[in-house]
Amino acid sequence: MQRYPSARWSRGTASGGSLYPNSMYWVSSGNDGCIAGVYYYSPGTHSLVRLSVGPAAERMGRLLNQEDSSIPTAGYLVVGPKLWRSAFKYGAFSYHVTTLDHGAILASIDRLTGKTLQVSRRSFTFDEEAVAHLLGIDPEAEPLLSVTALEYADLRRKHDVDPPCERSAAPGYLTARVHVHDHEWSQRTISFDMVRAMQREMVDSNRPATEAVTCAPARTSEVVLTDAERRRTISALTKRRSAFGRVGWKAIPRSTLEGMLESLAGPPQAQESRVADESTRTPLEWYVAVINVAETPQGFYRWTPHGLQLISAQDPTDFLQRNYFLPNYNMANLAFVLVPCVDYGRAISEQGSVMYRVANAAIGRATQEFYLAAAHANLAAGAALGFNNVEYRKVFGLEGHQEDETADPTVRPGMWPVIILMAGSESAELARYRYDLYTKGMVHTWARAL
């Protein structure tokens, strides 16, 4: 866009509705219709841009400590943000929000893969500098948050008999690269030293020993999503949107609230997202502010395996409005507010700084699942990061727990509220205009866009 003074950039996302974009790189094995090599997904043209040609999938497999027989038949999907795309607006906060959106992306990927294309493995801890070198990017400017191995089910079975297809020209290539750089037109550029310092720490801590590389199986054949579930997910993704304050006042059934909590925080058999990795195994605690839910008194609750546990029987409306930093939501119109909490300190102390990114992926994944569950239930939904989480800790009884011998021992004191997920009935006065830029083939394949 030439006229920068009048430019207005916006992007609706699961984790807050602003500018938190991530980038995607596709490392093709050569079985997907592409020449084996590395590709960058260009969202502006909805296409794959070839960066290098060669056996990159095999090299990626070695970096992830996989044997040749474990190399996926489709390839590897690498996800991470170009930090400047958010930092120009959010500064140091950009690292937090982009790692949240990374989890939302993973939730969508896991729900859209099916019988043909399957997630086989996912890694959050790997030699980030080595993977960045394979892709031809600067790891300090562009964090790599996860590597997901994707397989074509039919080729996986054939791979046990025949060697993988290798659409290559000659051995020893992958030396010639297409060097792609972001075009910078600004006369003066601004650096974000704190963001780069955070990323340097992540890169330094993300150097696992060979035997400690986290690349556990993420899906087994007996839990592959059915075609009906995938169609339901595609429908929910189409309907999914941020209410951004437009919520109609109407009480919702208690069963709707409990159904959403079961899908988000219930036992594994109640959850539709069946891909298991560190982001799904990261322990979250869920708290609820009930405002307009039938047969449920107003108040603050904790969600437990046994259902809603009352913390405080009071009208939460004034507290919610006072501790929310924007004017777009009238909290009295909402049905409920869900608040996922995570213990960052425990995760980092046990497994290193990179677990901060994994914990945020868990929150981002939960946020996307919340939006999809709201779409299934025909509820208006919104998410916000602009709230006073210190006051939320107090009202949920998470502060000072260590000194209180009478407190619930199952509540961990290190838990912090990260995001508020708001839901209510749909407003009857919404415009129903929708225009899809790209539809044909987007959902069904990763590599046909070339």
Side-chain angles (χ1 to χ4, degrees):
M1 186 174 291
Q2 299 288 340
R3 299 185 60 192
Y4 291 118
S6 62
R8 293 293 182 271
W9 301 90
S10 64
R11 175 179 180 267
T13 65
S15 303
S18 287
L19 295 165
Y20 319 145
N22 279 246
S23 298
M24 292 187 183
Y25 292 89
W26 176 242
V27 181
S28 171
S29 65
N31 287 314
D32 54 358
C34 294
I35 296 174
V38 177
Y39 298 80
Y40 171 72
Y41 172 69
S42 171
T45 58
H46 183 47
S47 63
L48 293 176
V49 179
R50 188 185 302 137
L51 302 181
S52 64
V53 176
E58 284 77 359
R59 296 194 180 191
M60 180 71 82
R62 288 194 292 272
L63 290 174
L64 298 177
N65 195 30
Q66 292 182 256
E67 298 177 357
D68 290 342
S69 60
S70 300
I71 302 302
T73 54
Y76 295 94
L77 186 68
V78 186
V79 181
K82 290 178 182 286
L83 289 173
W84 69 264
R85 295 170 71 188
S86 291
F88 82 93
K89 182 177 182 180
Y90 297 105
F93 192 50
S94 60
Y95 205 98
H96 184 68
V97 292
T98 52
T99 50
L100 286 173
D101 250 24
H102 165 240
I105 292 170
L106 296 184
S108 299
I109 291 170
D110 295 345
R111 281 177 159 270
L112 290 173
T113 51
K115 289 182 179 179
T116 303
L117 188 64
Q118 301 175 7
V119 174
S120 62
R121 304 172 78 86
R122 176 169 291 132
S123 178
F124 294 90
T125 54
F126 46 86
D127 189 334
E128 197 166 337
E129 280 190 325
V131 174
H133 177 72
L134 178 66
L135 302 181
I137 63 175
D138 177 3
E140 284 194 11
E142 195 167 348
L144 302 176
L145 305 181
S146 67
V147 180
T148 300
L150 294 170
E151 292 189 348
Y152 291 115
D154 293 340
L155 288 177
R156 175 77 273 178
R157 289 189 290 271
K158 184 180 178 182
H159 182 63
D160 297 334
V161 180
D162 300 328
C165 171
E166 185 61 54
R167 297 180 60 189
S168 58
Y173 58 111
L174 201 66
T175 56
R177 295 180 178 275
V178 177
H179 294 281
V180 180
H181 301 283
D182 297 316
H183 292 287
E184 179 56 68
W185 289 1
S186 301
Q187 294 183 359
R188 182 174 64 92
T189 58
I190 302 172
S191 62
F192 303 95
D193 296 335
M194 184 179 294
V195 174
R196 281 185 169 265
M198 290 177 66
Q199 175 57 10
R200 276 195 298 271
E201 180 177 341
M202 295 294 173
V203 171
D204 291 339
S205 68
N206 202 4
R207 298 178 188 274
T210 301
E211 64 274 13
V213 174
T214 302
C215 195
R219 190 197 290 277
T220 56
S221 58
E222 57 266 27
V223 293
V224 172
L225 294 177
T226 65
D227 290 339
E229 288 173 320
R230 289 183 67 250
R231 285 194 296 270
R232 190 165 177 255
T233 293
I234 292 171
S235 173
L237 284 168
T238 303
K239 293 168 59 179
R240 175 212 172 285
R241 64 175 182 82
S242 175
F244 202 71
R246 297 182 295 272
V247 181
W249 188 94
K250 183 180 179 182
I252 68 166
R254 181 187 176 103
S255 58
T256 301
L257 170 60
E258 291 179 337
M260 290 186 67
L261 284 166
E262 280 288 343
S263 68
L264 293 170
Q269 61 270 22
Q271 300 180 22
E272 290 186 26
S273 181
R274 298 176 180 179
V275 174
D277 58 38
E278 288 150 291
S279 67
T280 62
R281 289 188 289 265
T282 299
L284 304 179
E285 287 186 1
W286 289 84
Y287 292 84
V288 189
V290 173
I291 305 161
N292 294 309
V293 179
E295 301 177 357
T296 308
Q298 290 185 331
F300 296 97
Y301 294 79
R302 179 183 174 219
W303 174 254
T304 73
H306 307 291
L308 290 171
Q309 181 184 72
L310 182 64
I311 297 173
S312 174
Q314 66 182 70
D315 183 351
T317 304
D318 180 64
F319 170 87
L320 295 172
Q321 202 73 61
R322 191 172 64 252
N323 289 288
Y324 178 54
F325 299 154
L326 293 175
N328 58 323
Y329 276 94
N330 180 355
M331 296 296 180
N333 287 352
L334 296 174
F336 59 86
V337 176
L338 304 184
V339 186
C341 302
V342 69
D343 190 341
Y344 287 111
R346 180 176 179 179
I348 293 171
S349 64
E350 290 180 353
Q351 301 185 55
S353 298
V354 73
M355 293 308 294
Y356 164 75
R357 305 195 309 198
V358 177
N360 270 3
I363 295 291
R365 177 188 289 277
T367 301
Q368 180 72 326
E369 294 290 350
F370 162 77
Y371 270 109
L372 296 180
H376 287 318
N378 294 316
L379 295 179
L385 294 165
F387 69 103
N388 190 336
N389 66 344
V390 174
E391 292 300 318
Y392 272 70
R393 289 195 82 214
K394 293 177 182 178
V395 80
F396 292 146
L398 294 173
E399 214 172 50
H401 173 78
Q402 288 173 312
E403 293 78 23
D404 186 358
E405 296 180 356
T406 64
D408 185 345
T410 63
V411 178
R412 291 209 299 275
M415 288 286 176
W416 279 90
V418 181
I419 194 168
I420 55 175
L421 308 176
M422 301 164 282
S425 61
E426 281 278 18
S427 173
E429 300 178 355
L430 290 180
R432 296 296 178 185
Y433 177 76
R434 180 183 182 89
Y435 181 74
D436 292 317
L437 290 176
Y438 305 110
T439 56
K440 186 177 181 181
M442 276 192 72
V443 169
H444 304 293
T445 185
W446 300 108
R448 285 174 53 193
L450 184 67

